[in-house]
Amino acid sequence: MTNFSRAPRSGAAGLFSLAGLPVELKVSFWIWFAGGVLSVLGGLLGMLGSLVLFAAAPAAATAVLILMLLAASVGVAQVVFAFRLKAGRAWARVALTVLAAITLVLAVVNGASGAGQAGNWIAFLVALAATVLMWLPRPQAWFRGAPGRNTSAE
């Protein structure tokens, strides 16, 4: 029997402490956290790049700036949800699942537009893996607060 504890250490020491979480949730947390940080960084770099575009095409630059702000905002939300997931908040698991679904929609739309960016599909597959890990039986039991329970009877 595995003893799952929901009480992480407080303060800076507890910020990245994953003690007591099932391995699946630890991996999922790191995927969501790293993806969120990369999204924030990509959004910020894109915003800087859009500043150069303002000289040549202000309307296009405005659209790019808005999209990059959105990407950075989603990244921040993803990081926040990952920390709430680690803290045992079931709603964060649902929110991250919705973000994975949005990633799928964006990949489909981007693929249909003929832009040919495989990065959206890769992002979706990574989000899908993190999502599946959150919903496996051991994490399910951990969220229900039933230590050691490995069944998925819902």
Side-chain angles (χ1 to χ4, degrees):
M1 294 282 173
T2 304
N3 184 13
F4 297 122
S5 169
R6 282 198 199 193
R9 294 183 305 231
S10 61
L15 189 60
F16 290 102
S17 173
L18 300 175
L21 270 72
V23 172
E24 300 88 345
L25 278 181
K26 290 177 183 181
V27 173
S28 183
F29 166 79
W30 283 115
I31 291 171
W32 287 116
F33 177 77
V37 168
L38 290 174
S39 184
V40 169
L41 292 175
L44 293 175
L45 288 173
M47 283 186 268
L48 289 174
S50 71
L51 296 177
V52 174
L53 189 57
F54 269 106
T62 302
V64 169
L65 182 63
I66 290 170
L67 289 173
M68 292 300 107
L69 279 169
L70 180 63
S73 299
V74 168
V76 168
Q78 190 171 322
V79 169
V80 169
F81 294 156
F83 278 107
R84 300 316 324 156
L85 172 82
K86 178 179 82 77
R89 305 297 186 267
W91 62 263
R93 185 170 54 158
V94 174
L96 288 167
T97 302
V98 169
L99 284 179
I102 291 169
T103 305
L104 172 61
V105 170
L106 292 174
V108 169
V109 168
N110 194 27
S113 71
Q117 294 181 0
N120 287 332
W121 285 107
I122 293 168
F124 166 68
L125 292 174
V126 171
L128 178 64
T131 302
V132 167
L133 287 170
M134 295 186 306
W135 292 96
L136 290 174
R138 284 174 32 107
Q140 290 275 21
W142 185 79
F143 276 103
R144 280 193 306 268
R149 185 170 171 191
N150 288 334
T151 62
S152 60
E154 300 290 290

